[in-house]
Amino acid sequence: MKFRYLGNSGLKISEIIYGNWLTHGSQVENETAHACVKEALDQGITSFDTADVYANTKAESVLGEALQGQRRESLEVFTKVYWPTGPRGHNDTGLSRKHIMESINGSLQRLKMDYVDLYQAHRYDVETPLEETMQAFADVVRAGKALYIGVSEWPADKIREAHAMASQLGFQLISSQPQYSMLWRVIEPEVIPACEDLGLSQIVWSPMAGGILTGKYLPGQQPPEGSRGADTEGGARTMAHRMSDDVLTAVQKLRPIAEGLGATMGQLAIAWVLAHPNVAGAIVGASRPEQIAENVKALDLTLDDATLGAVDAAIGHIVTDDPTLVSVPEERAA
């Protein structure tokens, strides 16, 4: 395993981060989830990402159980707050002081931990003053319940505002967690430059574009049985906009590039995001332990300029890079 500093801080995280969105507490049985976490640990992964909203709090509980018995100081555990949880009452969402304070306590109980290493604002809350949100995060840090604060899917201007407030309040905003992959590059024009200026790193999710960049989805064919693309209750919905034949045809042009490196297409996709210097780690999930071992092999790849150019030549015409797609929600999620 390799490690990188997270933002302008002294915290190091593993370049491959194990995430349990869409798996723990929902798609896979707890026994399989525990086996995946064990494999992640065996592969040297020390960073684990979850959120209170995943499986409506169940994912945090499963991760907490799976990590029992591990030396806490050897792990970096991330969770998030914003989306509705519990019975979805009128205060069970957003980034109000009330919701943040109640949510961090609930997350720690489920994770069976005294603190998380990184607590992240899962979206921007347009209905709560940013000052209120940042003061609440400052108090969470001072209480020792979180060591650092991050954001997820925030636009550049809001990251700048939040960073300035964090500095005034005496705590560190060190990370951004956006979607980022060969196909989805909306953070490149504005978010990454802002984060480079401010000393934040990216922790990216969906580096394989929901599995599309693995090459297993073929144009003109139904998604393989048991794949995320065939999961009508979750995965298929999040991937629908990329499952067109023109996208899937272009992605197949990546196959000879990967083969030339002695790698799988999925490993190439992970190595591609890690080639960006502002990316500290790539979040990968798994429904089977062997998937983790395969993903970790991406760390053996070094992509030179010629390879990066070949990737752009293959799929550049289907890349999404519009910075306006990173935006503030019009209203708070309910």
Side-chain angles (χ1 to χ4, degrees), residues 70-187:
Q70 299 298 316
R71 181 177 183 268
R72 178 64 183 89
E73 294 84 350
S74 299
L75 305 174
E76 304 85 44
V77 178
F78 317 151
T79 193
K80 313 180 195 73
V81 57
Y82 168 79
W83 293 102
T85 54
R88 304 172 75 94
H90 54 283
N91 280 315
D92 290 339
T93 187
L95 297 177
S96 67
R97 181 178 183 84
K98 176 177 173 63
H99 188 53
I100 288 174
M101 293 302 183
E102 292 170 349
S103 294
I104 186 63
N105 290 335
S107 290
L108 294 177
Q109 289 174 4
R110 290 185 289 271
L111 289 166
K112 303 181 188 300
M113 296 175 181
D114 296 326
Y115 69 94
V116 292
D117 298 270
L118 182 67
Y119 199 38
Q120 303 163 96
H122 211 162
R123 289 297 185 275
Y124 186 85
D125 182 5
V126 70
E127 297 184 20
T128 299
L130 185 57
E131 294 85 352
E132 176 181 340
T133 294
M134 300 310 288
Q135 182 64 66
F137 281 140
D139 292 342
V140 167
V141 171
R142 291 193 182 99
K145 297 179 180 181
L147 304 185
Y148 302 92
I149 300 298
V151 299
S152 178
E153 296 292 349
W154 281 32
D157 60 334
K158 295 304 181 184
I159 291 174
R160 291 186 182 277
E161 290 180 36
H163 183 270
M165 289 184 190
S167 298
Q168 294 169 2
L169 291 165
F171 72 94
Q172 289 178 275
L173 185 68
I174 65 171
S175 65
S176 163
Q177 186 178 130
Q179 181 181 177
Y180 186 50
S181 71
M182 292 178 183
L183 297 177
W184 189 260
R185 308 185 192 183
V186 300
I187 62 171

Side-chain angles (χ1 to χ4, degrees), residues 24-36:
H24 293 189
S26 53
Q27 282 189 348
V28 302
E29 298 296 329
N30 287 0
E31 182 178 349
T32 302
H34 287 205
C36 288

Side-chain angles (χ1 to χ4, degrees), residues 4 180-182 184 204-208 213 267-283 303 308:
R4 298 184 185 185
Y180 186 50
S181 71
M182 292 178 183
W184 189 260
V204 304
W205 59 274
S206 201
M208 292 180 282
L213 289 171
Q267 290 160 2
L268 173 64
I270 295 171
W272 186 91
V273 299
L274 290 173
H276 197 294
N278 192 235
V279 173
I283 300 172
L303 307 187
L308 296 173

Side-chain angles (χ1 to χ4, degrees), residues 220-291:
Q221 297 185 24
Q222 291 297 311
E225 186 176 349
S227 68
R228 183 178 297 181
D231 175 22
T232 57
E233 295 184 1
R237 175 178 51 81
T238 63
M239 296 167 56
H241 65 292
R242 294 195 190 121
M243 294 291 280
S244 63
D245 280 357
D246 60 332
V247 170
L248 299 181
T249 299
V251 166
Q252 290 302 314
K253 296 178 181 179
L254 297 171
R255 189 176 299 279
I257 300 174
E259 290 174 348
L261 296 168
T264 67
M265 291 173 66
Q267 290 160 2
L268 173 64
I270 295 171
W272 186 91
V273 299
L274 290 173
H276 197 294
N278 192 235
V279 173
I283 300 172
V284 299
S287 56
R288 303 187 310 277
E290 55 268 25
Q291 292 173 326

